[in-house]
Amino acid sequence: MRISTRFFAAASIAALSLLAGNAMAEGEKLIIGTEGAYPPFNNLEADGTLVGFDIDIAKALCDEMKVTCEFVTQDWDGIIPALQAKKFDAIIASMSITPERAEKVDFTNKYYNTPPAIAVPKDSDLTEATTESLAGKVIGAQGSTTHSNYVEKHMAESELKLYPTADEYKLDISNGRIDAVVDDVVVLSEWVKSEDGSCCKILTTLPIDEVINGEGAGIAVRKGETELAAKFNTAIDAIRATGKYKEINDKYFDFDVYGE
């Protein structure tokens, strides 16, 4: 579970946001909100291009629904309020389906499900991720995420340090300012394999807490817009059946991120 760029005129927003919740005719437009700071799922390149698994899945779903989608980036901690304010029509940004969020938005079925993990410096003396072994350690996580909630609950004797994006916690652990970080296993695995993440290693994956981690990442829509959610669900099933999902999955990962 994030540099704001707008790809459309302000005058278009009000008109386009009316589409959500209504039957969508072929060729209509849908505005998709994402973060753009969470590789390999979604990331805003220097040239303004959005790339990543979330982005490719969103494009495939839009093609399946026969609608035109445009993207807008939004800082993570304001992404649900921005959806509620009709700045976009749906969120496709690796958002975990949790009971707390479900009080504010409606979700589609999952489109992937991967567990959390903890990463530490390569020279760390940590050998396990228990409450006792992590006591007194400073652990970084992105704020307003399931991962920060996980640390609060399961690593209560540690000091939690929150960051606005994953980039900031990566910088701090690289420079020895914190002892560990918690995030999605895919995000951390891709990072430690890169030059920027050469400082660190995955200590272990963490047991899923269904209340905190939810049932996977879903697409969020405004409360009551069940018809739009249903259309996304139909499209998710379709790209799974046609092999398009696997094609996108294999572009980024060497295992099936859809999960059980």
Side-chain angles (χ1 to χ4, degrees):
M1 69 199 225
R2 291 181 180 196
I3 325 186
S4 291
T5 302
R6 297 294 182 265
F7 293 95
F8 49 89
S12 301
I13 300 174
L16 293 172
S17 63
L18 295 175
L19 294 174
N22 299 321
M24 299 185 66
E26 288 188 18
E28 288 186 343
K29 289 186 180 180
L30 196 64
I31 303 301
I32 304 296
T34 195
E35 186 191 11
Y38 198 60
F41 292 103
N42 59 79
N43 196 47
L44 188 63
E45 301 283 79
D47 64 359
T49 303
L50 273 168
V51 297
F53 178 78
D54 287 333
I55 306 307
D56 287 359
I57 289 291
K59 290 176 179 177
L61 295 176
C62 291
D63 287 346
E64 185 65 35
M65 295 161 66
K66 295 182 171 56
V67 297
T68 300
C69 282
E70 297 181 7
F71 294 89
V72 55
T73 56
Q74 168 69 47
D75 293 342
W76 180 252
D77 59 1
I79 203 165
I80 287 180
L83 174 68
Q84 294 169 327
K86 299 187 177 182
K87 292 183 178 179
F88 33 80
D89 301 304
I91 297 170
I92 303 182
S94 292
M95 180 171 283
S96 297
I97 304 165
T98 66
E100 181 181 5
R101 288 173 180 155
E103 294 177 0
K104 302 174 183 178
V105 298
D106 283 340
F107 280 104
T108 64
N109 299 333
K110 71 170 185 178
Y111 64 96
Y112 81 86
N113 190 14
T114 51
I118 183 168
V120 298
K122 287 180 176 177
D123 61 356
S124 173
D125 58 2
L126 287 167
T127 59
E128 57 183 0
T130 63
T131 301
E132 295 75 22
S133 66
L134 294 170
K137 302 294 187 181
V138 182
I139 302 177
Q142 185 173 3
S144 302
T145 65
T146 58
H147 308 297
S148 60
N149 294 340
Y150 193 100
V151 175
E152 284 185 313
K153 179 178 177 180
H154 295 286
M155 304 171 185
E157 296 180 25
S158 307
E159 178 186 342
L160 171 62
K161 187 171 183 180
L162 299 176
Y163 296 85
T165 73
D167 288 341
E168 281 87 355
Y169 77 58
K170 292 173 182 176
L171 184 61
D172 266 12
I173 194 170
S174 297
N175 291 323
R177 300 187 186 105
I178 56 178
D179 300 301
V181 295
V182 172
D183 208 326
D184 183 274
V185 65
V186 173
V187 171
L188 292 178
S189 296
E190 292 297 309
W191 173 60
V192 299
K193 289 190 294 185
S194 70
E195 183 177 349
D196 289 343
S198 61
C199 62
C200 300
K201 64 182 180 181
I202 301 292
L203 180 60
T204 185
T205 55
L206 299 168
I208 290 177
D209 181 322
E210 292 187 1
V211 174
I212 292 177
N213 300 115
E215 54 198 81
I219 300 167
V221 299
R222 284 183 286 277
K223 271 292 185 183
E225 296 185 347
T226 54
E227 187 174 356
L228 180 58
K231 288 181 179 294
F232 273 120
N233 282 335
T234 299
I236 292 169
D237 290 343
I239 66 170
R240 291 281 296 168
T242 62
K244 184 62 177 179
Y245 184 98
K246 185 178 188 303
E247 176 187 327
I248 296 169
N249 183 100
D250 294 352
K251 175 180 174 181
Y252 294 95
F253 315 116
D254 57 7
F255 65 100
D256 185 2
V257 296
Y258 188 76
E260 298 297 327

